Amino acid sequence: MADMIKDHVLDRPNSYIGRSVPRPNAKRLLSGRGTFTDDIKLPRMTHVAFLRSTYAHAEIVSIDVSAAKESDGVVAVVTGVEMAEVCSPWVGVLSHLEGLKSAPQHALAVKKASWQGEPVVAVVANSRAEAEDAIELIDIEWKELPVVTDMETALDDATPLIHPELGDNLAWRRDLDVGDVDNAYAKADHVIEETYISNRHTGVCLETRGILADYNPGEDQLTIYHSTQAPHMMQSLFAKHLDIDEQKVRVICKDVGGSYGIKVHSYPDEYATVALAYMLKRPVKFTADRLESFTSDIHARDHRIKTKIAVSNEGEIQAFEIDDLTGIGPYSVYPRTSGIEANQVVNLTGGQYLNPNYRARATVVLQNKSPMCQYRAVGHPILTMITEGMVDDAARKIGMDPLEIRRKNLVPDDAYPYTAPSGLPFENLSHQASLEKLVKMLDYDGLRKDQAAAREQGIYRGIGLATFIEVTNPGPAFYGVGGAPISAQDGATMRLDAKGNVIVEIGVTEQGQGAEAVVAQCAATALGVTMDKIKVIAGDTDITPYGGGTWGSRAAGIGGEAAVQAGKALRQNVVEVAGIMLQSDPATLDIRDNQIVDIADGNERMELSEVGRVCYYRPDTLPKDYQSELVVTRHYVPKQFPFAFTNGVQGCYLEVDTNTGFIEFIKYCVVEDCGTVINPQLVDEQVRGGVIQGLGGALYEECLYSPEGQLLNATMADYLVPMAAEMPDIEVGHVESPTLDSELGAKGAGEAGTGGAPAAVMNAINDALDPLGGKVTVQPFTPERILQAIGKI
Amino acid sequence: MPKLSQEAVQKINFTLNGEAETGMAEPRMLLSDFLRNVMGVTGCHVGCEHGVCGACTVQIDGKAQRSCLTLAVQVDGRRVDTVESLAGRENELTDLQQNFKTHHGLQCGYCTPGILMSATEYLQQNPDPSEAEVRDMLSGHLCRCTGYAGIVNAIMATAKERQEKSSAAE
């Protein structure tokens, strides 16, 4: 620790940390020279297409693939029974979510299909088109089974069971009761009840899921090119379910065209693709089409939450209570499980407020819809919507301004470290500072005046505030303790070559968020070289240190810290050799701008490349008892806290057209505290992109199902996502409270925008509609729902 | 025009990124698949294959078009330009591409080629657009990563720089 303070990375000369350095990989992507999984072609490569269930719940009576096998270009046709001989089933549970249950799930459905879109038969052919042609020739006899779609009735006695062996349709339940909620109700001036609904939506990665697997029997080696967020996790899972040694599986992840949590899970069609390559001993590629994406990518955020808040006339929040019901599809997704989203809702609802009385129930039920699992800002959009919805409910009831009730109840910045009622420890949050900064950015008082003036003219404008907590830099508490093969730790290997260039191999992966840039900035700063000397290699299980990949806003905070520590260690090794070469005390030397310099006056002593040259080409000129080490590896995992919780606040000012139900954004501001900001431009655009994704769920996106479990809007023309013309300019501000868990002090920033946006926009709409007696509580807040809220339709 | 059977493979002679090229395609093959899988031009990305997301946008005879809504056989005798054409043989980013880099107009880069091909043509037709017009043009393109701000700024900055350059020349 003493050394750390003496040589702190944030005190480095010529630092790249805190600078908006353009991403080194931008030119590649701008030139169309990226390598996305579907861009890769291998010799003798085949393509797989899947016959997917058209029913939400149906038994497979018989399958006739004889005609398909004879179709042009077909290499193999494989059913679920055949697949099960090669690829073992899995069950998506984790031991720390006590009582969570799910049924064994196969790569291809064996006896029955449980959602529309579940893969049933695989056809491998010389082209995707030929594989699809052959699918048309497969004759399946189905016996339709009763369908469970409504989560409200999923546990009723009259409702059929999806997996009879489980005994019921309940996947998981969690109850929490802290303080004395009933006593708080008895004493409170007001107890306000409401029901909020977040409808199911999905990630819509522009690059669909893709995987290309190749098996070389000569070396018993599986090589898998995969559009994934977690290469080492996938390596472990593929090895396990194909019963192969993990070292014989290599997962390579090149460019990824958006992931947002969609590509951090394991999917049946991906296991099937890898198994087919293993069976056929030749490359097999699967690239989902858009329909397959809508019906087989994970969905998220299908929740109905009954809420209760107790408040005094003076605006003191005295209790929160929530009853969250969520339907997760027919299986808990493997290996992260589908209990985490509801768990986050229970853990974090109301956590930013001073209130000791909290009761929560989460009920997670099975249903015959696409499986649900973690998607960007897991649980946060829901828990922030209900927390901030409840707080506004309370403020309206007692006639207090929404800003004032927050000022009154937020946990003070000087109260940290602080433990939430759910027991989660928060290291150092800055709700007050963030809120006050936002108030200035918004010109809150000015907006209130504008709102009042507009109302006199019959124009309905509203302000919405949303304070939020954000989970970032997760340690092993998230998944590892429950038994999932997901590394919480990440490493960086740095090597100086003979020409003074530096290769950084890193366990976290690039998804477009700028991980490579951030790692390069950290490595360059810690070592003392310019960015152009650094090359970052990520996404290859044979090359990089074992790591967790990119999720939970961990790439910058965890990967960046590993790069910092590796850079410092390599610098130590370099100045040691340089000291011998220069006959100087290494403690008096430093590396700055690719030069060995004297710390005292910055005098240049020698090119860094000279150290490389001597160590590799002329080690005979060094002492015989000395061995240089120009490769180092350092790891990092957060140890003091289970997560680096962060916080922020969003503020939205919008106008509702009360004739059409359309809304128009007038102003949108976000204050985010992600600790040390490594690259402001990247962070700001993360936040903006996150807000836009949150606004998608808040305003447009909904997976619409028929009572029969048919997804009704599985095209991009029918499933609306935010486009440029409707989206606001978003102003981003920062408060910096570095985590003391790392030297770098960086926390994540990827969830902030998405987590807070639905709450901000809902509160703004309801603020606008209040004089008309209207209120929306069902997301997405469509024009139809807004008009219904004010009785226009 | 002779009637084609479904299987009949067609020879397509066309100009691809300035070079005369020939490729073979079934009548049903989409231009996007033809460019990617037959010609190996993988900068043309496929996002939805039903004409909504804009990722596959290329220029056909200088006009921005969805390659997923175009059959390969339709480009016989025509000129097709993909994102790979922009930087050219000298591998120098155009001013528009450079501004995407400077203004952080991309994250994962999957939508970027399509947006570049649309915006390149758009700025030729509308050298001095308003921000609202640029946003309207971008409504044909889904970017799921950014908040669109960087994209809008990159296009606006390019227009402004070109205006300044041309007024300086006058």
Side-chain angles (χ1 to χ4, degrees):
Chain A
M1 200 65 192
D3 281 345
M4 243 158 99
I5 291 161
K6 200 169 66 189
D7 178 23
H8 199 284
V9 70
L10 298 181
D11 298 331
R12 292 287 297 156
N14 305 332
S15 174
Y16 288 101
I17 292 167
R19 284 168 57 186
S20 292
V21 183
R23 290 160 55 197
N25 54 6
K27 183 173 180 182
R28 172 161 52 86
L29 296 169
L30 284 162
S31 311
R33 293 305 187 123
T35 308
F36 297 90
T37 301
D38 190 62
D39 298 343
I40 302 167
K41 270 188 186 175
L42 296 177
R44 297 183 74 237
M45 186 172 83
T46 61
H47 300 260
V48 61
F50 294 95
L51 183 151
R52 293 176 185 272
S53 175
T54 51
Y55 296 103
H57 201 194
E59 189 183 316
I60 302 166
V61 178
S62 65
I63 303 180
D64 181 356
V65 299
S66 52
K69 280 186 169 166
E70 300 304 315
S71 189
D72 281 352
V74 169
V75 174
V77 182
V78 176
T79 64
V81 173
E82 293 159 331
M83 178 59 67
E85 290 172 17
V86 180
C87 183
S88 62
W90 54 86
V91 182
V93 295
L94 288 170
S95 62
H96 68 307
L97 301 184
E98 205 185 330
L100 173 64
K101 60 185 196 279
S102 186
Q105 186 181 3
H106 287 267
L108 298 175
V110 173
K111 286 184 184 140
K112 67 168 191 172
S114 302
W115 84 90
Q116 178 217 7
E118 182 170 3
V120 180
V121 183
V123 177
V124 182
N126 290 324
S127 72
R128 168 84 186 208
E130 286 171 323
E132 289 186 20
D133 289 344
I135 282 176
E136 300 289 319
L137 303 174
I138 296 172
D139 193 12
I140 297 199
E141 189 187 336
W142 292 99
K143 183 185 161 200
E144 284 190 69
L145 298 170
V147 172
V148 182
T149 48
D150 182 3
M151 60 190 184
E152 292 282 356
T153 58
L155 301 180
D156 291 358
D157 288 342
T159 302
L161 299 184
I162 295 176
H163 305 295
E165 67 270 30
L166 298 181
D168 55 28
N169 289 329
L170 179 68
W172 192 50
R173 176 164 276 157
R174 182 179 171 200
D175 283 297
L176 185 71
D177 198 346
V178 185
D180 191 342
V181 172
D182 292 324
N183 184 44
Y185 288 158
K187 286 186 178 163
D189 292 318
H190 307 278
V191 178
I192 305 126
E193 297 186 38
E194 187 54 272
T195 299
Y196 291 94
I197 290 172
S198 160
N199 275 304
R200 185 181 262 263
H201 47 285
T202 185
V204 194
C205 304
L206 202 51
E207 181 214 22
T208 55
R209 289 187 297 108
I211 188 163
L212 165 58
D214 185 20
Y215 177 65
N216 181 340
E219 51 182 6
D220 196 16
Q221 181 73 40
L222 256 172
T223 303
I224 300 161
Y225 299 88
H226 195 188
S227 183
T228 180
Q229 297 172 237
H232 281 102
M233 178 192 89
M234 293 311 306
Q235 175 197 34
S236 177
L237 297 174
F238 288 136
K240 179 177 178 185
H241 291 283
L242 293 178
D243 197 19
I244 307 172
D245 283 347
E246 204 157 306
Q247 70 187 49
K248 292 176 181 165
V249 178
R250 178 184 187 185
V251 176
I252 300 171
C253 172
K254 308 268 251 186
D255 288 310
V256 174
S259 51
Y260 328 114
I262 301 303
K263 296 173 181 170
V264 79
H265 311 293
S266 70
Y267 288 89
D269 44 27
E270 296 174 358
Y271 287 102
T273 304
V274 175
L276 287 163
Y278 189 52
M279 293 156 82
L280 298 170
K281 301 179 175 56
R282 61 190 286 193
V284 181
K285 181 192 275 186
F286 168 63
T287 304
D289 66 24
R290 187 51 62 184
L291 173 62
E292 288 181 298
S293 292
F294 274 112
T295 60
S296 68
D297 286 4
I298 59 106
H299 295 176
R301 298 179 189 150
D302 199 2
H303 291 244
R304 182 279 288 143
I305 317 99
K306 292 179 179 167
T307 65
K308 259 175 153 176
I309 181 171
V311 66
S312 71
N313 282 330
E314 293 72 40
E316 187 198 346
I317 296 170
Q318 292 157 321
F320 286 113
E321 181 173 357
I322 61 166
D323 179 357
D324 178 19
L325 175 65
T326 176
I328 57 163
Y331 296 101
S332 170
V333 173
Y334 184 66
R336 289 166 194 258
T337 83
S338 305
I340 298 287
E341 193 176 71
N343 201 42
Q344 299 270 63
V345 172
V346 171
N347 276 342
L348 294 175
T349 295
Q352 60 269 57
Y353 293 107
L354 281 170
N355 157 56
N357 305 310
Y358 176 46
R359 186 151 62 205
R361 159 167 280 201
T363 305
V364 180
V365 301
L366 302 173
Q367 51 182 184
N368 294 113
K369 295 181 181 177
S370 288
M372 278 212 330
C373 202
Q374 285 79 289
Y375 164 44
R376 189 177 196 171
V378 187
H380 294 62
I382 300 146
L383 70 93
T384 306
M385 174 174 82
I386 58 174
T387 300
E388 292 299 78
M390 280 191 276
V391 170
D392 270 21
D393 288 342
R396 256 190 303 276
K397 185 79 179 179
I398 59 172
M400 184 178 257
D401 189 277
L403 174 60
E404 289 316 310
I405 195 169
R406 285 173 174 80
R407 279 178 170 153
K408 199 175 170 76
N409 288 281
L410 283 170
V411 176
D413 293 355
D414 60 9
Y416 292 94
Y418 180 86
T419 302
S422 63
L424 284 176
F426 301 144
E427 181 192 1
N428 55 349
L429 304 187
S430 61
H431 288 295
Q432 291 178 322
S434 298
L435 182 65
E436 295 313 319
K437 181 156 190 168
L438 182 89
V439 165
K440 283 207 189 81
M441 284 165 67
L442 280 175
D443 181 18
Y444 189 84
D445 294 338
L447 294 187
R448 282 285 176 224
K449 280 182 200 141
D450 178 78
Q451 178 186 38
R455 273 185 194 168
E456 281 175 18
Q457 297 166 35
I459 296 167
Y460 293 90
R461 293 179 174 169
I463 307 174
L465 298 175
T467 64
F468 58 88
I469 302 167
E470 180 187 2
V471 174
T472 79
N473 294 6
F478 217 162
Y479 295 113
V481 296
I486 299 168
S487 178
Q489 170 169 296
D490 254 278
T493 295
M494 269 172 86
R495 96 176 167 252
L496 182 74
D497 73 11
K499 302 291 187 288
N501 300 303
V502 180
I503 306 273
V504 185
E505 292 148 10
I506 188 88
V508 300
T509 53
E510 171 71 53
Q511 317 283 309
Q513 85 281 42
E516 286 180 20
V518 164
V519 165
Q521 286 176 262
C522 291
T525 301
L527 179 60
V529 299
T530 51
M531 288 274 287
D532 59 306
K533 296 286 177 194
I534 302 265
K535 179 178 185 177
V536 177
I537 296 174
D540 188 333
T541 57
D542 266 11
I543 293 177
T544 71
Y546 203 90
T550 290
W551 49 273
S553 287
R554 69 189 293 284
I558 294 178
E561 177 70 10
V564 164
Q565 296 308 328
K568 289 176 71 171
L570 181 57
R571 174 155 48 87
Q572 198 106 33
N573 290 4
V574 168
V575 297
E576 192 178 277
V577 187
I580 294 168
M581 291 165 66
L582 297 167
Q583 298 189 328
S584 300
D585 179 0
T588 65
L589 300 174
D590 192 7
I591 311 173
R592 292 177 195 167
D593 285 343
N594 317 319
Q595 305 281 339
I596 309 294
V597 301
D598 287 323
I599 289 179
D601 52 15
N603 265 354
E604 292 179 7
R605 301 285 303 276
M606 183 169 63
E607 297 264 353
L608 176 61
S609 56
E610 181 64 7
V611 175
R613 186 188 70 83
V614 167
C615 288
Y616 290 110
Y617 302 150
R618 296 301 308 276
D620 56 307
T621 63
L622 295 172
K624 286 201 173 4
D625 60 351
Y626 181 77
Q627 176 60 54
S628 65
E629 293 293 349
L630 300 186
V631 182
V632 300
T633 299
R634 288 294 182 274
H635 287 86
Y636 171 68
V637 63
K639 295 189 186 74
Q640 310 302 324
F641 289 86
F643 307 89
F645 284 103
T646 71
N647 67 281
V649 57
Q650 300 193 15
C652 164
Y653 188 49
L654 55 75
E655 182 173 318
V656 180
D657 184 326
T658 53
N659 291 314
T660 63
F662 279 70
I663 68 156
E664 192 181 335
F665 292 102
I666 303 167
K667 199 163 193 176
Y668 207 112
C669 299
V670 181
V671 175
E672 159 75 346
D673 184 346
C674 60
T676 304
V677 174
I678 301 169
N679 186 322
Q681 196 180 40
L682 289 179
V683 168
D684 288 359
E685 202 57 23
Q686 265 299 302
V687 172
R688 287 196 191 96
V691 168
I692 302 290
Q693 219 157 31
L695 292 178
L699 297 174
Y700 311 116
E701 298 181 40
E702 181 173 358
C703 297
L704 295 165
Y705 274 90
S706 74
E708 296 78 29
Q710 295 286 318
L711 184 56
L712 300 173
N713 58 340
T715 77
M716 276 203 184
D718 298 305
Y719 181 98
L720 299 183
V721 289
M723 304 301 271
E726 294 83 30
M727 287 299 107
D729 283 328
I730 299 159
E731 201 185 326
V732 183
H734 299 277
V735 171
E736 291 194 40
S737 312
T739 173
L740 300 178
D741 216 328
S742 72
E743 186 176 336
L744 182 61
K747 308 173 185 176
E751 330 286 337
T754 308
V761 76
M762 179 181 76
N763 284 349
I765 293 170
N766 289 339
D767 189 43
L769 299 184
D770 193 41
L772 301 168
K775 183 180 175 191
V776 289
T777 53
V778 180
Q779 190 192 141
F781 312 112
T782 58
E784 185 184 7
R785 288 181 177 131
I786 288 171
L787 292 177
Q788 281 168 347
I790 54 175
K792 283 274 173 84
I793 56 171
Chain B
M1 209 169 143
K3 197 171 174 223
L4 302 173
S5 76
Q6 193 188 331
E7 292 78 23
V9 177
Q10 303 295 306
K11 191 180 208 179
I12 298 163
N13 295 304
F14 71 124
T15 306
L16 175 60
N17 297 337
E19 305 274 344
E21 295 274 10
T22 302
M24 307 297 281
E26 289 176 34
R28 66 177 177 177
M29 184 175 268
L30 300 176
L31 177 59
S32 49
D33 288 341
F34 177 67
L35 290 172
R36 290 179 53 77
N37 300 333
V38 179
M39 305 310 297
V41 182
T42 52
C44 167
H45 295 160
V46 171
C48 72
E49 291 183 288
H50 48 260
V52 182
C53 78
C56 71
T57 303
V58 299
Q59 288 179 7
I60 301 174
D61 291 339
K63 278 210 165 350
Q65 310 270 359
R66 302 280 204 251
S67 63
C68 77
L69 295 183
T70 308
L71 292 168
V73 291
Q74 289 176 276
V75 302
D76 186 45
R78 303 174 76 177
R79 192 181 96 224
V80 177
D81 291 295
T82 67
V83 68
E84 285 93 335
S85 71
L86 296 179
R89 290 200 167 173
E90 287 72 36
N91 191 28
E92 265 181 41
L93 296 184
T94 63
D95 54 352
L96 180 66
Q97 286 172 306
Q98 190 56 49
N99 274 316
F100 266 71
K101 188 173 174 181
T102 308
H103 294 273
H104 195 39
L106 71 156
Q107 283 189 29
C108 78
Y110 200 79
C111 68
T112 314
I115 294 176
L116 288 171
M117 296 317 285
S118 277
T120 298
E121 191 220 335
Y122 181 81
L123 287 177
Q124 284 161 3
Q125 310 294 332
N126 307 277
D128 190 16
S130 67
E131 184 182 324
E133 287 169 339
V134 167
R135 283 185 176 268
D136 191 50
M137 181 273 290
L138 284 172
S139 288
H141 292 275
L142 169 63
C143 168
R144 193 63 165 164
C145 294
T146 74
Y148 294 106
I151 300 171
V152 172
N153 292 344
I155 296 171
M156 294 300 290
T158 306
K160 187 164 169 250
E161 284 166 15
R162 289 183 188 175
Q163 294 284 316
E164 284 166 3
K165 231 180 237 174
S166 70
S167 61
E170 278 160 15

